Amino acid sequence: MWEQLRDGGGRNGRQVLVYKCLNSTNTTALNLAAEGAPSGTVVAADSQSAGRGRLGRKWQSPPGLGLYFSIIVRPRLGLSDLTKITLTAGLALRTAIFATSALKTRLKWPNDILWQGKKMAGILTECGAESAKGRPVIVGIGLNVNSGPDDFPAEIGQRGVSMRMAANLFYDRGRILAAVIEAVEREVKRLEKGEFTAILRDWRRWDASAGKRLTWLKPGGMPVCGISLGPDEDGVLRIKDAAGLIHQVISGDLRLRDEETRP
Ligand code: BTN
């Protein structure tokens, strides 16, 4: 099954390294980037033993079911642009999912891809150390492709979904990998050309929370309830609370109201 992955993406001169099992493709990509791996290098694994998500969470990565991969990019951008890269990658992932399956997913700030309110994919963007080649950024993507309802861990349960569950079809992971890599490359080029405003306009079309009530679990603070105004020109999410105060969200977790009531 994992041979499928080897056929995906390794075109246009880019290097796609495919492993049977890694701790985390992000860790391997960070190490390769530190050794000077060029922008566009992709590290994929059929399974991960310590796949990680945002906010220190685990990303369960069993073999044969999902896509787990990391793309090394060396964008000519600053550290403060990390959220922009995550939003850009999310838009690319959404585009590739639609192109390969016609599934209409939505984007939840900053890094989730949702299908009918359930999580289909997540992105973990991490930064490497500055070197003569600049500062590498690792875009790590986990996409639930062929998992069934029983393949999700108990803590995710009903809140997870795969492409197979959404479309009632099994997918060729190599083909989807190639489509996502190409879409991410294309969108990151747009970002580097200074087109974040246009990217953001596209992103907002698929925003799962704009105009909806949500709760922001603010790190080290009281939860904030309000209406999402969507991300601003820097990619920072704005929430308007009941008193009309606008909060700027740069980290922490967000719960859409309908997520709070789902088991
Ligand atoms: C999240 O939703 O919190 C982000 C999940 C990102 C998971 C991917 S799987 C490939 C890459 N390697 C990791 O260890 N994490 C990312």
Side-chain angles (χ1 to χ4, degrees):
M1 273 302 263
W2 75 289
E3 286 80 359
Q4 243 186 17
L5 293 180
R6 285 197 310 224
D7 304 330
R11 286 181 233 131
N12 299 337
R14 81 173 76 83
Q15 195 174 27
V16 180
L17 303 164
V18 181
Y19 298 83
K20 209 157 187 177
C21 183
L22 288 176
N23 288 344
S24 154
T25 58
N26 265 30
T27 304
T28 301
L30 278 165
N31 291 339
L32 288 171
E35 288 162 14
S39 191
T41 304
V42 179
V43 179
D46 186 42
S47 66
Q48 298 181 115
S49 54
R52 56 178 184 267
R54 253 182 102 236
L55 308 170
R57 295 197 182 111
K58 282 192 181 139
W59 187 264
Q60 299 287 342
S61 317
L65 299 176
L67 278 173
Y68 322 110
F69 63 101
S70 305
I71 308 176
I72 300 175
V73 289
R74 295 182 180 278
R76 294 179 296 276
L77 300 165
L79 262 187
S80 59
D81 294 318
L82 218 56
T83 309
K84 291 183 186 172
I85 297 174
T86 305
L87 297 182
T88 301
L91 176 65
L93 183 52
R94 196 238 166 240
T95 304
I97 292 171
F98 182 70
T100 50
S101 66
L103 288 168
K104 291 182 182 161
T105 52
R106 293 202 160 264
L107 302 165
K108 182 180 158 207
W109 189 96
N111 70 323
D112 287 353
I113 308 287
L114 306 181
W115 182 80
Q116 297 192 352
K118 298 182 179 197
K119 183 152 170 169
M120 184 175 275
I123 299 169
L124 179 67
T125 311
E126 294 180 306
C127 243
E130 182 86 47
S131 76
K133 283 190 160 185
R135 186 184 288 279
V137 173
I138 309 302
V139 178
I141 295 179
L143 169 61
N144 303 323
V145 182
N146 289 326
S147 358
D150 297 335
D151 294 318
F152 291 94
E155 66 269 22
I156 304 284
Q158 304 273 309
R159 290 181 290 120
V161 72
S162 69
M163 293 176 69
R164 167 198 156 194
M165 287 159 67
N168 213 12
L169 283 172
F170 282 88
Y171 289 94
D172 176 332
R173 287 178 299 152
R175 202 168 81 79
I176 293 162
L177 176 63
V180 178
I181 295 170
E182 268 159 34
V184 171
E185 275 181 0
R186 197 172 52 238
E187 293 298 332
V188 169
K189 272 194 195 130
R190 257 176 109 192
L191 179 64
E192 287 185 309
K193 282 198 274 172
E195 294 177 18
F196 184 64
T197 305
I199 292 171
L200 199 57
R201 191 192 52 223
D202 294 345
W203 196 96
R204 286 194 181 121
R205 286 180 66 195
W206 314 113
D207 187 348
S209 30
K212 294 202 177 139
R213 293 191 62 77
L214 45 74
T215 306
W216 171 31
L217 305 173
K218 194 174 172 177
M222 294 288 286
V224 174
C225 296
I227 306 280
S228 168
L229 303 178
D232 68 11
E233 284 299 312
D234 292 317
V236 174
L237 184 74
R238 293 150 311 151
I239 297 177
K240 191 175 177 181
D241 70 17
L245 209 68
I246 312 261
H247 301 259
Q248 292 196 311
V249 182
I250 48 167
S251 65
D253 211 5
L254 290 171
R255 294 281 155 82
L256 278 165
R257 271 298 154 90
D258 57 343
E259 281 176 8
E260 286 170 8
T261 49
R262 201 178 293 132

